[in-house]
Amino acid sequence: MDNMILLDIETGDFDVDSGIYELAVLVIKDGRIIQSEHIAEVYDERIRHLGMGEGYKNISENQVMQERFQHIINTYQFPIVAHNVSFDRKFLVHYGWLEENYECYDSVRAIKYANPNLFSYSLEYLLNYYDIDLPLTHIAIDDVYALFEVIKKVDPKKWIPLYKVPPKKFNKFVEATANVEGESLVFQGRRLVFTGASPFPRILMKEIAAKCGAIVTGNVSSKTDLLICGEKPGSKLEKARELDIEIQTDEWFIDAVSKDLNLETATLTRQSVAATKETRYEKITYTKIPELRGKFVNIALLPFRIQKKVEDILINHMEVAGINRGTNGYKVDFIIHSDDREYVLLGKAKEMQIIAIPLSKFNRMILS
C-alpha cells in the first residue's frame, strides 16, 4: 500500500473514557512521507519523556485538535493504518474524530501475512527483529515514525480492511452459526478470557471463540494466551498486564473471526474450513543453529505462552541437550530471553560467560 495515513495515539488507559492524550499522523504518498503532525498539548515538559501520554493534556473533546486531524483526513482521503488499529479506531470513533465507516487497516495483520512465523508482533519486538535502530518511547510521534520504518522494511503485500460489525449483526451471526459444522483455526489451542462490558453478548462471543478452536476460561493466569476486553475490564486487565499476556479489544476479536467466518451471511461450509486448515498451517523449515546442538538452554525469561513453542523448536529442530526453566538456572550454555526487560539472571550469566540471546535475535536466526 503506497498511500496511507499512518497514525498512533496515546490514551489514558484501555477504556475510551480515559481519553486521548496524543495523536501522531504521517501522510504517506507513493511510499514517502509528505506530511507529519503531532496533535497534542503539553502541560508538563518535565515528564513528557515518560511516554504513554504523560505530560500531555486530555484532548479528546478539544475541537481545535479534532479539526486539525479531520483536515488531514478530508484533504488526502487515504486509508488509515495503525498498529492494532481496532484500538486506535475505538477511541477516534467514540469521540467523533473519525467516521464509523472510514477505511482502516491493521499493520499487525499485514505484517503477519508477510512474516507469519514471529513469536511476537509488538512494535518493540519488530524493531528488534528487523534490526531497526529506533527506540520505542511510547510518545506518539516517535512511535509512528518507528512504525513507518518497520512497514518499509517488511513491505507487506497483503492488506485487508478492518471488519466493522454492528452488535445487531453479531447477534444474527451467532444464531445463524450455532449449528455450523467444522471449526475455524484462528484461535486453535489458545486460552482466552473475556472481561468488561460489551455490546456483544459475552455468552455468544465465548461460543464463537470455542468454534474457532479456543479454550475459554473465566480467570486470567500464567496459562492465559489472550485477554479480550470491553469497557471497564477491571482486575483481569491488571493481572494480564502483570503477567505480560496479550490484550485485545472486542472489536479486534470480531475482526479476527471475520477472516474465516462470513459475518454478513453467517454461512460456513466444511469444505471452506478444510481449505483454511490447509493454507493456514504450512510446515516450517527452521535454519539450524550449530552452536546450540548438544547444549543446555535456559528459557525461564520468556513469557509462558512462548516457552512451549521455543522448547519444541530447540528440542526437535536445534537438537539441544536439555531445557532449563529455573530463574536461578546457571548450569546452562545459553539463555534465550525476552527483549523488553532487564533481568538479574542476565547480569549473572554475563559474569559466568553464559551466552544470552534475545528472543528476536533467536527468531531471526532460525528463520534466516
Side-chain angles (χ1 to χ4, degrees):
M1 189 186 302
D2 293 326
N3 300 331
M4 66 182 84
I5 295 172
L6 203 58
L7 64 79
D8 182 71
I9 68 172
E10 294 297 335
T11 65
D13 206 339
F14 204 82
D15 292 341
V16 290
D17 291 343
S18 67
I20 300 170
Y21 288 78
E22 297 178 75
L23 171 60
V25 176
L26 298 182
V27 179
I28 313 299
K29 185 176 182 181
D30 298 327
R32 296 182 300 106
I33 299 171
I34 62 169
Q35 184 176 344
S36 67
E37 290 282 341
H38 187 199
I39 301 172
E41 186 176 352
V42 177
Y43 81 85
D44 192 341
E45 187 70 39
R46 296 169 299 174
I47 59 173
R48 278 184 63 244
H49 69 281
L50 297 175
M52 300 289 201
E54 293 287 344
Y56 292 94
K57 291 184 178 180
N58 187 331
I59 59 171
S60 307
E61 299 181 14
N62 185 313
Q63 195 65 34
V64 174
M65 301 291 184
Q66 187 179 125
E67 287 174 0
R68 278 177 64 186
F69 174 68
Q70 290 174 340
H71 176 72
I72 295 170
I73 295 292
N74 294 333
T75 299
Y76 297 100
Q77 298 183 7
F78 294 161
I80 282 175
V81 173
H83 213 58
N84 196 0
V85 74
S86 60
F87 180 83
D88 298 50
R89 177 186 173 275
K90 177 177 74 169
F91 279 79
L92 295 172
V93 170
H94 178 80
Y95 287 106
W97 290 52
L98 188 68
E99 293 291 333
E100 177 81 31
N101 61 351
Y102 200 94
E103 191 170 22
C104 297
Y105 292 81
D106 190 355
S107 55
V108 175
R109 176 187 284 187
I111 294 166
K112 278 184 179 180
Y113 279 121
N115 193 344
N117 300 313
L118 301 186
F119 296 122
S120 173
Y121 292 87
S122 71
L123 187 52
E124 183 173 16
Y125 188 87
L126 293 169
L127 289 170
N128 291 330
Y129 179 84
Y130 287 106
D131 201 20
I132 297 170
D133 188 19
L134 286 174
L136 190 69
T137 64
H138 295 291
I139 297 171
I141 193 65
D142 293 342
D143 290 357
V144 79
Y145 271 103
L147 178 57
F148 175 65
E149 293 300 323
V150 168
I151 291 174
K152 273 204 309 181
K153 191 91 170 185
V154 179
D155 191 21
K157 303 300 183 187
K158 187 173 183 179
W159 293 87
I160 297 177
L162 183 71
Y163 186 88
K164 303 176 288 294
V165 57
K168 61 182 181 180
K169 275 192 179 179
F170 186 76
N171 287 330
K172 180 180 177 183
F173 159 65
V174 175
E175 293 167 7
T177 59
N179 297 310
V180 165
E181 292 185 358
E183 296 176 340
S184 166
L185 296 179
V186 67
F187 297 121
Q188 183 67 32
R190 302 188 74 189
R191 291 180 177 271
L192 269 63
V193 175
F194 291 88
T195 189
S198 173
F200 307 111
R202 280 284 178 245
I203 190 169
L204 301 179
M205 290 181 77
K206 289 176 181 178
E207 182 181 351
I208 295 305
K211 286 182 179 295
C212 293
I215 302 164
V216 182
T217 63
N219 297 308
V220 174
S221 74
S222 60
K223 294 184 179 180
T224 303
D225 295 298
L226 183 61
L227 178 67
I228 306 295
C229 292
E231 293 301 309
K232 305 188 186 308
S235 60
K236 289 180 182 177
L237 175 60
E238 294 306 314
K239 189 166 184 180
R241 285 172 171 164
E242 289 173 10
L243 295 172
D244 195 25
I245 289 165
E246 183 179 354
I247 301 165
Q248 297 291 357
T249 62
D250 285 336
E251 291 83 359
W252 177 92
F253 175 82
I254 298 301
D255 180 55
V257 169
S258 74
K259 289 186 286 185
D260 289 341
L261 307 180
N262 189 332
L263 303 191
E264 295 291 341
T265 61
T267 59
L268 182 69
T269 66
R270 184 178 293 276
Q271 288 76 17
S272 65
V273 171
T276 301
K277 288 180 180 178
E278 290 171 7
T279 57
R280 185 178 295 278
Y281 292 101
E282 295 179 0
K283 187 175 180 180
I284 305 168
T285 301
Y286 295 109
T287 300
K288 289 190 180 295
I289 305 172
E291 296 84 353
L292 292 178
R293 186 175 183 180
K295 303 296 184 180
F296 289 87
V297 183
N298 185 300
I299 59 171
L301 304 184
L302 296 176
F304 185 84
R305 69 181 188 277
I306 293 175
Q307 284 186 12
K308 192 174 186 305
K309 187 171 184 179
V310 171
E311 181 177 1
D312 175 71
I313 293 170
L314 288 171
I315 291 174
N316 296 317
H317 300 275
M318 303 299 129
E319 301 175 12
V320 300
I323 300 294
N324 186 302
R325 295 181 183 222
T327 54
N328 62 347
Y330 300 113
K331 294 182 178 180
V332 295
D333 303 289
F334 292 87
I335 295 176
I336 299 176
H337 62 91
S338 291
D339 294 63
D340 55 351
R341 295 184 185 178
E342 294 183 5
Y343 299 94
V344 174
L345 180 60
L346 292 181
K348 293 183 177 180
K350 188 175 181 180
E351 295 173 9
M352 301 176 70
Q353 297 185 322
I354 298 170
I355 299 172
I357 305 175
L359 181 63
S360 62
K361 182 179 179 180
F362 174 71
N363 206 167
R364 190 165 60 242
M365 292 165 75
I366 63 175
L367 296 179
S368 63

PDB file of all heavy atoms in Angstrom, residues 30-60:
ATOM      1  N   ASP A  30       2.854   7.577  -2.269  1.00  0.00           N
ATOM      2  CA  ASP A  30       3.845   6.883  -3.100  1.00  0.00           C
ATOM      3  C   ASP A  30       5.018   6.381  -2.248  1.00  0.00           C
ATOM      4  O   ASP A  30       6.183   6.409  -2.678  1.00  0.00           O
ATOM      5  CB  ASP A  30       4.355   7.801  -4.217  1.00  0.00           C
ATOM      6  CG  ASP A  30       3.243   8.217  -5.162  1.00  0.00           C
ATOM      7  OD1 ASP A  30       2.319   7.409  -5.377  1.00  0.00           O
ATOM      8  OD2 ASP A  30       3.285   9.360  -5.664  1.00  0.00           O
ATOM      9  N   GLY A  31       4.700   5.941  -1.042  1.00  0.00           N
ATOM     10  CA  GLY A  31       5.708   5.353  -0.166  1.00  0.00           C
ATOM     11  C   GLY A  31       6.590   6.345   0.557  1.00  0.00           C
ATOM     12  O   GLY A  31       7.506   5.958   1.274  1.00  0.00           O
ATOM     13  N   ARG A  32       6.324   7.654   0.399  1.00  0.00           N
ATOM     14  CA  ARG A  32       7.150   8.687   1.047  1.00  0.00           C
ATOM     15  C   ARG A  32       6.300   9.532   1.998  1.00  0.00           C
ATOM     16  O   ARG A  32       5.116   9.753   1.761  1.00  0.00           O
ATOM     17  CB  ARG A  32       7.798   9.597   0.009  1.00  0.00           C
ATOM     18  CG  ARG A  32       8.797   8.904  -0.911  1.00  0.00           C
ATOM     19  CD  ARG A  32       9.450   9.878  -1.881  1.00  0.00           C
ATOM     20  NE  ARG A  32       8.457  10.537  -2.739  1.00  0.00           N
ATOM     21  CZ  ARG A  32       8.084  11.801  -2.589  1.00  0.00           C
ATOM     22  NH1 ARG A  32       8.594  12.547  -1.628  1.00  0.00           N
ATOM     23  NH2 ARG A  32       7.194  12.325  -3.420  1.00  0.00           N
ATOM     24  N   ILE A  33       6.920  10.019   3.051  1.00  0.00           N
ATOM     25  CA  ILE A  33       6.227  10.905   3.997  1.00  0.00           C
ATOM     26  C   ILE A  33       6.123  12.291   3.379  1.00  0.00           C
ATOM     27  O   ILE A  33       7.133  12.908   3.016  1.00  0.00           O
ATOM     28  CB  ILE A  33       6.993  11.003   5.327  1.00  0.00           C
ATOM     29  CG1 ILE A  33       7.111   9.633   5.992  1.00  0.00           C
ATOM     30  CG2 ILE A  33       6.309  11.996   6.275  1.00  0.00           C
ATOM     31  CD1 ILE A  33       8.033   9.610   7.204  1.00  0.00           C
ATOM     32  N   ILE A  34       4.904  12.788   3.234  1.00  0.00           N
ATOM     33  CA  ILE A  34       4.732  14.132   2.686  1.00  0.00           C
ATOM     34  C   ILE A  34       4.194  15.115   3.737  1.00  0.00           C
ATOM     35  O   ILE A  34       4.192  16.323   3.507  1.00  0.00           O
ATOM     36  CB  ILE A  34       3.786  14.122   1.456  1.00  0.00           C
ATOM     37  CG1 ILE A  34       2.384  13.627   1.841  1.00  0.00           C
ATOM     38  CG2 ILE A  34       4.374  13.297   0.332  1.00  0.00           C
ATOM     39  CD1 ILE A  34       1.355  13.844   0.735  1.00  0.00           C
ATOM     40  N   GLN A  35       3.739  14.594   4.870  1.00  0.00           N
ATOM     41  CA  GLN A  35       3.276  15.473   5.941  1.00  0.00           C
ATOM     42  C   GLN A  35       3.308  14.720   7.267  1.00  0.00           C
ATOM     43  O   GLN A  35       3.013  13.525   7.319  1.00  0.00           O
ATOM     44  CB  GLN A  35       1.843  15.965   5.675  1.00  0.00           C
ATOM     45  CG  GLN A  35       1.340  16.971   6.718  1.00  0.00           C
ATOM     46  CD  GLN A  35      -0.051  17.517   6.388  1.00  0.00           C
ATOM     47  OE1 GLN A  35      -0.527  17.380   5.250  1.00  0.00           O
ATOM     48  NE2 GLN A  35      -0.692  18.117   7.362  1.00  0.00           N
ATOM     49  N   SER A  36       3.686  15.409   8.325  1.00  0.00           N
ATOM     50  CA  SER A  36       3.626  14.822   9.661  1.00  0.00           C
ATOM     51  C   SER A  36       2.977  15.816  10.614  1.00  0.00           C
ATOM     52  O   SER A  36       3.181  17.030  10.489  1.00  0.00           O
ATOM     53  CB  SER A  36       5.023  14.447  10.156  1.00  0.00           C
ATOM     54  OG  SER A  36       5.810  15.593  10.371  1.00  0.00           O
ATOM     55  N   GLU A  37       2.204  15.295  11.542  1.00  0.00           N
ATOM     56  CA  GLU A  37       1.516  16.131  12.532  1.00  0.00           C
ATOM     57  C   GLU A  37       1.563  15.435  13.885  1.00  0.00           C
ATOM     58  O   GLU A  37       1.276  14.238  13.981  1.00  0.00           O
ATOM     59  CB  GLU A  37       0.044  16.351  12.142  1.00  0.00           C
ATOM     60  CG  GLU A  37      -0.170  17.234  10.936  1.00  0.00           C
ATOM     61  CD  GLU A  37      -0.016  18.723  11.244  1.00  0.00           C
ATOM     62  OE1 GLU A  37      -0.108  19.081  12.452  1.00  0.00           O
ATOM     63  OE2 GLU A  37       0.210  19.490  10.308  1.00  0.00           O
ATOM     64  N   HIS A  38       1.922  16.180  14.908  1.00  0.00           N
ATOM     65  CA  HIS A  38       1.824  15.694  16.284  1.00  0.00           C
ATOM     66  C   HIS A  38       0.744  16.532  16.966  1.00  0.00           C
ATOM     67  O   HIS A  38       0.969  17.679  17.331  1.00  0.00           O
ATOM     68  CB  HIS A  38       3.160  15.834  17.008  1.00  0.00           C
ATOM     69  CG  HIS A  38       3.161  15.197  18.365  1.00  0.00           C
ATOM     70  ND1 HIS A  38       4.089  15.509  19.323  1.00  0.00           N
ATOM     71  CD2 HIS A  38       2.352  14.257  18.930  1.00  0.00           C
ATOM     72  CE1 HIS A  38       3.863  14.791  20.416  1.00  0.00           C
ATOM     73  NE2 HIS A  38       2.816  14.035  20.201  1.00  0.00           N
ATOM     74  N   ILE A  39      -0.435  15.954  17.088  1.00  0.00           N
ATOM     75  CA  ILE A  39      -1.591  16.675  17.610  1.00  0.00           C
ATOM     76  C   ILE A  39      -1.666  16.410  19.113  1.00  0.00           C
ATOM     77  O   ILE A  39      -2.080  15.340  19.564  1.00  0.00           O
ATOM     78  CB  ILE A  39      -2.876  16.233  16.890  1.00  0.00           C
ATOM     79  CG1 ILE A  39      -2.739  16.488  15.382  1.00  0.00           C
ATOM     80  CG2 ILE A  39      -4.091  16.952  17.456  1.00  0.00           C
ATOM     81  CD1 ILE A  39      -3.866  15.926  14.547  1.00  0.00           C
ATOM     82  N   ALA A  40      -1.235  17.391  19.883  1.00  0.00           N
ATOM     83  CA  ALA A  40      -1.151  17.228  21.336  1.00  0.00           C
ATOM     84  C   ALA A  40      -0.946  18.597  21.970  1.00  0.00           C
ATOM     85  O   ALA A  40      -0.581  19.561  21.295  1.00  0.00           O
ATOM     86  CB  ALA A  40       0.001  16.303  21.699  1.00  0.00           C
ATOM     87  N   GLU A  41      -1.161  18.653  23.279  1.00  0.00           N
ATOM     88  CA  GLU A  41      -0.959  19.885  24.033  1.00  0.00           C
ATOM     89  C   GLU A  41      -0.187  19.550  25.307  1.00  0.00           C
ATOM     90  O   GLU A  41      -0.678  18.846  26.187  1.00  0.00           O
ATOM     91  CB  GLU A  41      -2.302  20.536  24.384  1.00  0.00           C
ATOM     92  CG  GLU A  41      -2.157  21.894  25.051  1.00  0.00           C
ATOM     93  CD  GLU A  41      -3.487  22.581  25.299  1.00  0.00           C
ATOM     94  OE1 GLU A  41      -4.520  22.068  24.818  1.00  0.00           O
ATOM     95  OE2 GLU A  41      -3.478  23.618  25.978  1.00  0.00           O
ATOM     96  N   VAL A  42       1.038  20.061  25.387  1.00  0.00           N
ATOM     97  CA  VAL A  42       1.905  19.776  26.528  1.00  0.00           C
ATOM     98  C   VAL A  42       1.487  20.608  27.735  1.00  0.00           C
ATOM     99  O   VAL A  42       1.221  21.802  27.603  1.00  0.00           O
ATOM    100  CB  VAL A  42       3.379  20.068  26.180  1.00  0.00           C
ATOM    101  CG1 VAL A  42       4.278  19.835  27.387  1.00  0.00           C
ATOM    102  CG2 VAL A  42       3.828  19.213  25.004  1.00  0.00           C
ATOM    103  N   TYR A  43       1.443  19.964  28.917  1.00  0.00           N
ATOM    104  CA  TYR A  43       1.215  20.735  30.136  1.00  0.00           C
ATOM    105  C   TYR A  43       2.383  20.621  31.108  1.00  0.00           C
ATOM    106  O   TYR A  43       2.542  21.454  32.005  1.00  0.00           O
ATOM    107  CB  TYR A  43      -0.097  20.328  30.820  1.00  0.00           C
ATOM    108  CG  TYR A  43      -0.010  19.077  31.667  1.00  0.00           C
ATOM    109  CD1 TYR A  43       0.421  19.131  32.997  1.00  0.00           C
ATOM    110  CD2 TYR A  43      -0.363  17.841  31.147  1.00  0.00           C
ATOM    111  CE1 TYR A  43       0.502  17.976  33.763  1.00  0.00           C
ATOM    112  CE2 TYR A  43      -0.277  16.690  31.904  1.00  0.00           C
ATOM    113  CZ  TYR A  43       0.153  16.760  33.223  1.00  0.00           C
ATOM    114  OH  TYR A  43       0.237  15.620  33.972  1.00  0.00           O
ATOM    115  N   ASP A  44       3.231  19.608  30.938  1.00  0.00           N
ATOM    116  CA  ASP A  44       4.391  19.461  31.809  1.00  0.00           C
ATOM    117  C   ASP A  44       5.543  18.848  31.014  1.00  0.00           C
ATOM    118  O   ASP A  44       5.627  17.632  30.841  1.00  0.00           O
ATOM    119  CB  ASP A  44       4.051  18.591  33.018  1.00  0.00           C
ATOM    120  CG  ASP A  44       5.135  18.641  34.092  1.00  0.00           C
ATOM    121  OD1 ASP A  44       6.275  19.037  33.770  1.00  0.00           O
ATOM    122  OD2 ASP A  44       4.849  18.265  35.247  1.00  0.00           O
ATOM    123  N   GLU A  45       6.424  19.713  30.543  1.00  0.00           N
ATOM    124  CA  GLU A  45       7.539  19.277  29.700  1.00  0.00           C
ATOM    125  C   GLU A  45       8.474  18.319  30.444  1.00  0.00           C
ATOM    126  O   GLU A  45       9.109  17.453  29.825  1.00  0.00           O
ATOM    127  CB  GLU A  45       8.332  20.513  29.251  1.00  0.00           C
ATOM    128  CG  GLU A  45       9.418  20.235  28.237  1.00  0.00           C
ATOM    129  CD  GLU A  45       8.875  19.851  26.869  1.00  0.00           C
ATOM    130  OE1 GLU A  45       7.868  20.440  26.444  1.00  0.00           O
ATOM    131  OE2 GLU A  45       9.465  18.952  26.245  1.00  0.00           O
ATOM    132  N   ARG A  46       8.508  18.409  31.771  1.00  0.00           N
ATOM    133  CA  ARG A  46       9.456  17.615  32.564  1.00  0.00           C
ATOM    134  C   ARG A  46       9.157  16.120  32.526  1.00  0.00           C
ATOM    135  O   ARG A  46      10.052  15.299  32.764  1.00  0.00           O
ATOM    136  CB  ARG A  46       9.451  18.095  34.020  1.00  0.00           C
ATOM    137  CG  ARG A  46       9.944  19.527  34.206  1.00  0.00           C
ATOM    138  CD  ARG A  46       9.654  19.999  35.608  1.00  0.00           C
ATOM    139  NE  ARG A  46       8.211  19.980  35.866  1.00  0.00           N
ATOM    140  CZ  ARG A  46       7.660  20.229  37.061  1.00  0.00           C
ATOM    141  NH1 ARG A  46       8.441  20.509  38.096  1.00  0.00           N
ATOM    142  NH2 ARG A  46       6.341  20.208  37.211  1.00  0.00           N
ATOM    143  N   ILE A  47       7.914  15.731  32.247  1.00  0.00           N
ATOM    144  CA  ILE A  47       7.581  14.302  32.303  1.00  0.00           C
ATOM    145  C   ILE A  47       7.177  13.724  30.945  1.00  0.00           C
ATOM    146  O   ILE A  47       6.762  12.571  30.855  1.00  0.00           O
ATOM    147  CB  ILE A  47       6.463  14.029  33.333  1.00  0.00           C
ATOM    148  CG1 ILE A  47       5.186  14.829  32.988  1.00  0.00           C
ATOM    149  CG2 ILE A  47       6.935  14.345  34.741  1.00  0.00           C
ATOM    150  CD1 ILE A  47       4.008  14.471  33.877  1.00  0.00           C
ATOM    151  N   ARG A  48       7.318  14.518  29.893  1.00  0.00           N
ATOM    152  CA  ARG A  48       6.991  14.022  28.557  1.00  0.00           C
ATOM    153  C   ARG A  48       7.778  12.757  28.200  1.00  0.00           C
ATOM    154  O   ARG A  48       7.263  11.865  27.531  1.00  0.00           O
ATOM    155  CB  ARG A  48       7.295  15.076  27.491  1.00  0.00           C
ATOM    156  CG  ARG A  48       6.241  16.130  27.287  1.00  0.00           C
ATOM    157  CD  ARG A  48       6.619  17.048  26.129  1.00  0.00           C
ATOM    158  NE  ARG A  48       6.682  16.331  24.874  1.00  0.00           N
ATOM    159  CZ  ARG A  48       7.799  16.167  24.142  1.00  0.00           C
ATOM    160  NH1 ARG A  48       8.943  16.656  24.561  1.00  0.00           N
ATOM    161  NH2 ARG A  48       7.765  15.502  23.014  1.00  0.00           N
ATOM    162  N   HIS A  49       9.030  12.697  28.652  1.00  0.00           N
ATOM    163  CA  HIS A  49       9.907  11.580  28.285  1.00  0.00           C
ATOM    164  C   HIS A  49       9.408  10.243  28.828  1.00  0.00           C
ATOM    165  O   HIS A  49       9.839   9.181  28.370  1.00  0.00           O
ATOM    166  CB  HIS A  49      11.320  11.837  28.815  1.00  0.00           C
ATOM    167  CG  HIS A  49      11.423  11.777  30.307  1.00  0.00           C
ATOM    168  ND1 HIS A  49      11.030  12.833  31.111  1.00  0.00           N
ATOM    169  CD2 HIS A  49      11.833  10.784  31.143  1.00  0.00           C
ATOM    170  CE1 HIS A  49      11.209  12.507  32.374  1.00  0.00           C
ATOM    171  NE2 HIS A  49      11.696  11.274  32.430  1.00  0.00           N
ATOM    172  N   LEU A  50       8.473  10.274  29.781  1.00  0.00           N
ATOM    173  CA  LEU A  50       7.945   9.040  30.353  1.00  0.00           C
ATOM    174  C   LEU A  50       7.041   8.290  29.382  1.00  0.00           C
ATOM    175  O   LEU A  50       6.803   7.097  29.536  1.00  0.00           O
ATOM    176  CB  LEU A  50       7.172   9.341  31.648  1.00  0.00           C
ATOM    177  CG  LEU A  50       7.995   9.940  32.793  1.00  0.00           C
ATOM    178  CD1 LEU A  50       7.090  10.302  33.962  1.00  0.00           C
ATOM    179  CD2 LEU A  50       9.080   8.960  33.233  1.00  0.00           C
ATOM    180  N   GLY A  51       6.531   8.981  28.377  1.00  0.00           N
ATOM    181  CA  GLY A  51       5.668   8.340  27.383  1.00  0.00           C
ATOM    182  C   GLY A  51       4.280   8.045  27.912  1.00  0.00           C
ATOM    183  O   GLY A  51       3.885   8.487  28.989  1.00  0.00           O
ATOM    184  N   MET A  52       3.494   7.315  27.131  1.00  0.00           N
ATOM    185  CA  MET A  52       2.131   6.908  27.494  1.00  0.00           C
ATOM    186  C   MET A  52       1.231   8.111  27.780  1.00  0.00           C
ATOM    187  O   MET A  52       0.322   8.033  28.601  1.00  0.00           O
ATOM    188  CB  MET A  52       2.149   5.987  28.722  1.00  0.00           C
ATOM    189  CG  MET A  52       2.937   4.711  28.528  1.00  0.00           C
ATOM    190  SD  MET A  52       2.099   3.578  27.392  1.00  0.00           S
ATOM    191  CE  MET A  52       2.841   2.032  27.840  1.00  0.00           C
ATOM    192  N   GLY A  53       1.482   9.223  27.093  1.00  0.00           N
ATOM    193  CA  GLY A  53       0.637  10.405  27.271  1.00  0.00           C
ATOM    194  C   GLY A  53       0.997  11.269  28.454  1.00  0.00           C
ATOM    195  O   GLY A  53       0.351  12.307  28.680  1.00  0.00           O
ATOM    196  N   GLU A  54       2.009  10.866  29.232  1.00  0.00           N
ATOM    197  CA  GLU A  54       2.417  11.657  30.396  1.00  0.00           C
ATOM    198  C   GLU A  54       2.897  13.036  29.938  1.00  0.00           C
ATOM    199  O   GLU A  54       3.636  13.167  28.967  1.00  0.00           O
ATOM    200  CB  GLU A  54       3.528  10.949  31.169  1.00  0.00           C
ATOM    201  CG  GLU A  54       3.102   9.663  31.839  1.00  0.00           C
ATOM    202  CD  GLU A  54       2.227   9.915  33.055  1.00  0.00           C
ATOM    203  OE1 GLU A  54       2.200  11.058  33.565  1.00  0.00           O
ATOM    204  OE2 GLU A  54       1.552   8.965  33.497  1.00  0.00           O
ATOM    205  N   GLY A  55       2.479  14.065  30.680  1.00  0.00           N
ATOM    206  CA  GLY A  55       2.887  15.426  30.361  1.00  0.00           C
ATOM    207  C   GLY A  55       2.014  16.112  29.335  1.00  0.00           C
ATOM    208  O   GLY A  55       2.249  17.273  28.987  1.00  0.00           O
ATOM    209  N   TYR A  56       0.984  15.413  28.838  1.00  0.00           N
ATOM    210  CA  TYR A  56       0.077  15.983  27.844  1.00  0.00           C
ATOM    211  C   TYR A  56      -1.337  16.115  28.415  1.00  0.00           C
ATOM    212  O   TYR A  56      -1.741  15.331  29.275  1.00  0.00           O
ATOM    213  CB  TYR A  56       0.021  15.109  26.586  1.00  0.00           C
ATOM    214  CG  TYR A  56       1.296  15.100  25.789  1.00  0.00           C
ATOM    215  CD1 TYR A  56       2.254  14.106  25.993  1.00  0.00           C
ATOM    216  CD2 TYR A  56       1.545  16.076  24.832  1.00  0.00           C
ATOM    217  CE1 TYR A  56       3.437  14.092  25.268  1.00  0.00           C
ATOM    218  CE2 TYR A  56       2.722  16.070  24.099  1.00  0.00           C
ATOM    219  CZ  TYR A  56       3.662  15.074  24.316  1.00  0.00           C
ATOM    220  OH  TYR A  56       4.835  15.065  23.601  1.00  0.00           O
ATOM    221  N   LYS A  57      -2.075  17.081  27.914  1.00  0.00           N
ATOM    222  CA  LYS A  57      -3.462  17.273  28.323  1.00  0.00           C
ATOM    223  C   LYS A  57      -4.378  16.298  27.589  1.00  0.00           C
ATOM    224  O   LYS A  57      -4.071  15.852  26.475  1.00  0.00           O
ATOM    225  CB  LYS A  57      -3.911  18.706  28.028  1.00  0.00           C
ATOM    226  CG  LYS A  57      -3.253  19.759  28.890  1.00  0.00           C
ATOM    227  CD  LYS A  57      -3.827  21.143  28.584  1.00  0.00           C
ATOM    228  CE  LYS A  57      -3.201  22.204  29.480  1.00  0.00           C
ATOM    229  NZ  LYS A  57      -3.748  23.555  29.195  1.00  0.00           N
ATOM    230  N   ASN A  58      -5.497  16.002  28.186  1.00  0.00           N
ATOM    231  CA  ASN A  58      -6.537  15.203  27.534  1.00  0.00           C
ATOM    232  C   ASN A  58      -7.171  16.059  26.437  1.00  0.00           C
ATOM    233  O   ASN A  58      -7.775  17.104  26.721  1.00  0.00           O
ATOM    234  CB  ASN A  58      -7.581  14.788  28.568  1.00  0.00           C
ATOM    235  CG  ASN A  58      -8.605  13.816  27.997  1.00  0.00           C
ATOM    236  OD1 ASN A  58      -8.903  13.826  26.813  1.00  0.00           O
ATOM    237  ND2 ASN A  58      -9.162  12.976  28.851  1.00  0.00           N
ATOM    238  N   ILE A  59      -7.032  15.623  25.174  1.00  0.00           N
ATOM    239  CA  ILE A  59      -7.531  16.423  24.048  1.00  0.00           C
ATOM    240  C   ILE A  59      -8.759  15.785  23.390  1.00  0.00           C
ATOM    241  O   ILE A  59      -9.167  16.199  22.298  1.00  0.00           O
ATOM    242  CB  ILE A  59      -6.434  16.635  22.980  1.00  0.00           C
ATOM    243  CG1 ILE A  59      -5.932  15.281  22.438  1.00  0.00           C
ATOM    244  CG2 ILE A  59      -5.294  17.464  23.530  1.00  0.00           C
ATOM    245  CD1 ILE A  59      -5.014  15.388  21.233  1.00  0.00           C
ATOM    246  N   SER A  60      -9.354  14.816  24.061  1.00  0.00           N
ATOM    247  CA  SER A  60     -10.456  14.054  23.461  1.00  0.00           C
ATOM    248  C   SER A  60     -11.550  14.943  22.883  1.00  0.00           C
ATOM    249  O   SER A  60     -12.070  14.677  21.802  1.00  0.00           O
ATOM    250  CB  SER A  60     -11.071  13.115  24.500  1.00  0.00           C
ATOM    251  OG  SER A  60     -10.101  12.310  25.095  1.00  0.00           O
TER     252      SER A  60
END
